[in-house]
Amino acid sequence: MSINKLLGSKKLTSYFWKTYREDPQNIETESHRLLHRTGFISQLSTGIFSFLPMGWRSIEKIKNIIREEMNSSGLIEINLPVIQPSDLWKTSERLDTFIPPLSKFQDRRDNQLIIAPTHEEAVTDMVAKNVNSYRDLPFTLYQIQTKYREDPRPRAGLLRVREFEMNDAYSFDVDEEGLDLSYKNMIKIYKNIFMRCSTEVIIVDADSGAIGGKESNEFVMLADSGEDVILISKDKLYAANVEKAIFKKEKFEKENTINLQYLDTPNKKTIDELKDFLSIDNKKMLKTVIYKADDEIVGCVIRSDYNFNETKIRNYLNATNLNLASDKVIISKDLVPGFISPINIENIRFLYDDSVLLGPGNFIVGGNTKDKHYKGFNLDQDSISYEILDIAEAEEGHISINESILESFRGIEVGHIFKLGDVYSKKMGANFSNKEGKNQNILMGCYGIGVGRLLAACIEANQKNNSMNLPLSISPFSIYLVALQIKDEKVKNLAEKIYKELTDLGFDLLFDDRDIQTGVKFNDSDLLSLPVRRVISKRNIQNDSIEVFERDTDSTISLTYDETITYFKTNLIP
RNA sequence: CGGGGUGUGGCGCAGCGGUAGCGCACUCGCUUUGGGAGCGAGGGGUCACAGGUUCAAAUCCUGUCACCCCGACCA
């Protein structure tokens, strides 16, 4: 049975739906505004929403697309618990390190339980208990399940919430080649899903964050209201989340090295102040910042024409939290805020961005003394051992690795996929006997789509003039049937007849059979903006015609009854 | 977690020392009827909560909570 038939047609007089004339206060994004105005959602708490019938229909249609695409590609649906014992998360070593922190509570026997923010642990446990041999592999499981994440700041309606439905999938393979195949298969499935939702997404390199694993890609819909910053090279060969993006750093000819010397820099604490005071270019200076990475104090140094990428730093240090160290902490390490340098500092670990070795050298760095800076710092000469890596943030205008200019965009992350490898299977004993009879860890991948966020993103992308304009595939109903002068017998009978006939054909109609103002009906119809609107009225009946408005072509045509039925049989697929 | 803002009928707001009002929505009646109608009559609020000041508190003070925005953080 098609989803349209399953959800069925509805008459407004016996449906639960209400639109709003006014916006709630402090609405930030169009999708949030429209989701509220059209009676899709109702807020229960910060980042926690109820779906009203109208909104839930769209969600059901999205989930149906996901199921169809996944089932037809050989994936298998399961269901995992939302409430899980916290011991399970001890095994994966994420009980205290997951960001945002897990939501915990005690049951009656004083066992600690958590509300799952994601399901790697549960699925790995299940698979570990039920897979023994390489013959049992490979397979990919999926579910559509509620997640709860104690997000520090939910916002923008459904774009960023605490409780949400996610379609999460997990692949299990015997080797890297298998994992590659599963990963690529999932990319194909995701592309199909987003295409069917008429959402244009791009695939970008991404950081794997709290989920872990090596390779990771995000599916991003470009939109100004998005929270993620994406860098795309002009030649389109490179696209990455700013958290992950790499770029080709500028090299400068090395100067003849000079000895370290002090400079008087009274009260010049920032790079900008120094730049003006000394009339020199940013590339001639180094920036030193002290971070607190969990409990460790770490210094980071970069050439001043670049900025730090804190994700790269956090990943390298394998830290859960990374924050700028307070002045108090800096002073306790005998450093002078505003004049920090790594020179002769033994009690702190320093990380250097590799730009520090790319010239021009003889850098100006802090003097570790108030109102002093050093001139003539060269890492390779003035330090014996150092950790050097890429901790720079890519920005618009930088050059991609294939020599193309990077451009910056904002986007909404609607899907994220990860190659987990054996991160979880190793810790949780998910292994199998290989052909030689030896134990081997299962290689995993995990894949997620935020269902509600996808709906919101789709609205962001399609909305205009106070209308949602959801595509036919996920529009709550396919057709808005309006009967004007519903009290008129002829109108009523014709409308009912069409309602029944089109419903029998498999279409899902919203029949506005309310005895209210015409203007209200049209406004509700515009707001909801279903793909097709049909008007039955006295006037039309007199002309022996039925009015059909097609949103996509923005055209209205008048047809006879028989033409109408033919039109729907041939132009639309229920 | 830091900074800021807002809590008054279902929604949007006014009132800012004398015990609550407007618009929309809702109910009833009449009129109207192809773009959020008109007239009339109604119903609905311990003014977020808790203390305090005062003869008197929605209004002033203190605390708490909730929600929103910016930042931090973040699948």
Side-chain angles (χ1 to χ4, degrees):
Chain A
M1 191 193 283
S2 78
I3 184 75
N4 292 355
K5 202 156 188 169
L6 181 71
L7 295 173
S9 295
K10 301 287 172 190
K11 292 181 182 178
L12 267 184
T13 48
S14 49
Y15 200 53
F16 177 42
W17 186 51
K18 189 174 172 63
T19 56
Y20 287 85
R21 292 195 182 193
E22 279 172 297
D23 299 330
Q25 22 176 2
N26 299 321
I27 285 286
E28 195 193 2
T29 49
E30 274 300 294
S31 63
H32 187 192
R33 201 176 71 78
L34 287 167
L35 282 163
H36 175 263
R37 287 285 299 273
T38 52
F40 268 49
I41 56 172
S42 182
Q43 184 168 343
L44 183 61
S45 176
T46 306
I48 301 183
F49 292 88
S50 302
F51 279 91
L52 292 154
M54 197 62 81
W56 193 243
R57 286 182 72 103
S58 277
I59 293 288
E60 282 296 323
K61 288 192 178 182
I62 292 174
K63 293 201 290 197
N64 182 251
I65 290 173
I66 291 171
R67 285 204 171 94
E68 282 182 359
E69 290 299 325
M70 296 209 157
N71 289 344
S72 69
S73 298
L75 272 63
I76 310 158
E77 185 165 6
I78 52 160
N79 190 257
L80 299 160
V82 179
I83 303 298
Q84 304 175 359
S86 59
D87 280 354
L88 184 68
W89 286 66
K90 248 180 223 158
T91 323
S92 67
E93 295 165 17
R94 292 206 293 182
L95 185 60
D96 301 309
T97 57
F98 194 84
I99 300 282
L102 298 172
S103 209
K104 304 168 186 165
F105 65 97
Q106 313 291 129
D107 69 7
R108 268 204 277 184
R109 284 171 291 176
D110 257 3
N111 292 322
Q112 193 179 54
L113 299 171
I114 63 104
I115 308 175
T118 176
H119 285 80
E120 284 78 21
E121 280 79 359
V123 79
T124 308
D125 175 81
M126 185 183 83
V127 167
K129 286 172 176 163
N130 294 285
V131 164
N132 307 307
S133 157
Y134 72 93
R135 293 173 199 276
D136 298 331
L137 296 164
F139 54 83
T140 299
L141 307 175
Y142 80 93
Q143 64 168 350
I144 299 174
Q145 178 64 286
T146 299
K147 314 279 183 229
Y148 180 79
R149 297 187 184 177
E150 198 65 68
D151 199 285
R153 198 184 151 205
R155 69 189 108 171
L158 293 184
L159 282 177
R160 187 164 196 76
V161 293
R162 291 193 290 173
E163 184 186 301
F164 61 102
E165 288 224 314
M166 181 194 265
N167 157 52
D168 44 334
Y170 306 89
S171 64
F172 300 87
D173 281 282
V174 294
D175 53 23
E176 288 288 343
E177 292 79 61
L179 175 55
D180 271 352
L181 275 177
S182 298
Y183 196 81
K184 288 202 176 96
N185 188 36
M186 195 59 76
I187 289 178
K188 206 179 82 206
I189 295 172
Y190 271 31
K191 279 183 177 168
N192 288 343
I193 291 169
F194 295 129
M195 196 180 66
R196 287 182 62 183
C197 294
S198 298
T199 303
E200 252 183 71
V201 295
I202 55 165
I203 303 173
V204 307
D205 291 351
D207 179 61
S208 56
I211 301 296
K214 297 164 240 168
E215 203 177 326
S216 170
N217 291 97
E218 282 175 349
F219 290 74
V220 176
M221 196 198 82
L222 298 184
D224 289 339
S225 53
E227 296 185 277
D228 290 8
V229 175
I230 305 299
L231 292 156
I232 305 174
S233 64
K234 253 203 158 120
D235 61 12
K236 308 283 182 209
L237 293 175
Y238 183 76
N241 190 304
V242 65
E243 291 177 344
K244 180 78 177 180
I246 53 171
F247 61 101
K248 198 161 181 179
K249 290 169 192 170
E250 227 176 321
K251 276 188 190 169
F252 298 101
E253 199 174 325
K254 289 221 166 109
E255 298 176 358
N256 294 327
T257 47
I258 56 168
N259 289 330
L260 276 179
Q261 51 186 266
Y262 269 130
L263 286 177
D264 281 320
T265 51
N267 220 16
K268 306 299 174 213
K269 293 187 177 182
T270 66
I271 293 296
D272 283 347
E273 285 166 354
L274 265 184
K275 181 185 169 180
D276 292 345
F277 181 71
L278 300 170
S279 306
I280 52 160
D281 204 74
N282 277 8
K283 66 172 186 280
K284 291 285 296 167
M285 299 179 280
L286 297 185
K287 196 163 15 181
T288 307
V289 169
I290 306 297
Y291 284 101
K292 189 161 175 282
D294 294 335
D295 294 323
E296 190 189 2
I297 303 300
V298 179
C300 293
V301 184
I302 194 169
R303 207 172 63 197
S304 295
D305 49 341
Y306 295 130
N307 290 311
F308 291 111
N309 176 325
E310 295 186 357
T311 305
K312 290 180 183 176
I313 298 171
R314 187 183 309 115
N315 284 345
Y316 177 72
L317 294 172
N318 203 12
T320 302
N321 291 298
L322 184 81
N323 296 299
L324 288 176
S326 64
D327 280 5
K328 209 171 136 190
V329 168
I330 293 172
I331 292 163
S332 76
K333 292 283 179 184
D334 296 323
L335 295 169
V336 187
F339 302 92
I340 302 168
S341 103
I343 298 175
N344 297 327
I345 301 296
E346 308 279 317
N347 60 346
I348 295 181
R349 176 181 177 191
F350 278 95
L351 308 183
Y352 292 87
D353 181 68
D354 47 22
S355 59
V356 171
L357 288 182
L358 298 178
N362 292 332
F363 291 111
I364 289 168
V365 292
N368 285 330
T369 307
K370 193 172 180 342
D371 298 336
K372 299 273 186 200
H373 278 80
Y374 282 118
K375 185 184 181 181
F377 177 73
N378 295 288
L379 181 62
D380 40 1
Q381 315 236 331
D382 297 324
S383 275
I384 310 145
S385 69
Y386 46 81
E387 293 173 79
I388 190 149
L389 67 151
D390 170 32
I391 47 172
E393 182 160 283
E395 289 168 36
E396 181 152 275
H398 287 163
I399 306 297
S400 77
I401 34 175
N402 22 284
E403 304 286 344
S404 176
I405 293 176
L406 291 174
E407 293 181 290
S408 170
F409 299 89
R410 295 189 76 89
I412 301 166
E413 176 193 344
V414 289
H416 199 158
I417 61 177
F418 309 78
K419 273 191 191 173
L420 298 172
D422 63 0
V423 184
Y424 291 89
S425 51
K426 203 156 126 193
K427 288 174 184 165
M428 306 190 66
N431 46 42
F432 63 95
S433 300
N434 63 17
K435 282 182 182 167
E436 284 76 45
K438 296 214 170 97
N439 257 355
Q440 218 173 301
N441 289 319
I442 301 176
L443 296 186
M444 292 172 56
C446 79
Y447 317 87
I449 294 176
V451 180
R453 182 184 279 184
L454 178 55
L455 173 62
C458 210
I459 294 168
E460 288 288 332
N462 292 296
Q463 62 81 25
K464 64 175 183 210
N465 303 332
N466 213 27
S467 299
M468 277 188 173
N469 299 324
L470 283 172
L472 179 63
S473 58
I474 64 170
S475 182
F477 290 89
S478 304
I479 301 164
Y480 199 105
L481 174 64
V482 193
L484 305 181
Q485 303 102 28
I486 186 80
K487 279 181 171 164
D488 185 281
E489 280 298 311
K490 276 189 191 153
V491 170
K492 188 166 188 297
N493 293 340
L494 182 60
E496 290 279 359
K497 192 174 159 198
I498 287 172
Y499 177 73
K500 185 169 182 313
E501 184 134 356
L502 291 182
T503 299
D504 289 347
L505 279 175
F507 290 101
D508 53 337
L509 293 83
L510 183 63
F511 179 15
D512 193 344
D513 58 342
R514 297 172 297 178
D515 179 25
I516 50 162
Q517 289 296 116
T518 307
V520 176
K521 293 191 177 204
F522 280 117
N523 273 295
D524 281 349
S525 166
D526 290 346
L527 199 55
L528 192 59
S529 51
L530 300 182
V532 179
R533 186 185 68 209
R534 315 196 39 196
V535 183
I536 314 293
S537 70
K538 264 187 183 165
R539 195 174 80 186
N540 287 342
I541 286 176
Q542 272 159 19
N543 301 332
D544 193 26
S545 74
I546 292 160
E547 183 180 315
V548 179
F549 172 75
E550 257 188 0
R551 192 191 65 210
D552 282 354
T553 52
D554 194 25
S555 60
T556 307
I557 48 174
S558 285
L559 302 172
T560 64
Y561 181 84
D562 290 339
E563 284 169 349
T564 307
I565 301 302
T566 313
Y567 172 89
F568 280 96
K569 276 185 181 163
T570 52
N571 285 302
L572 278 173
I573 303 152

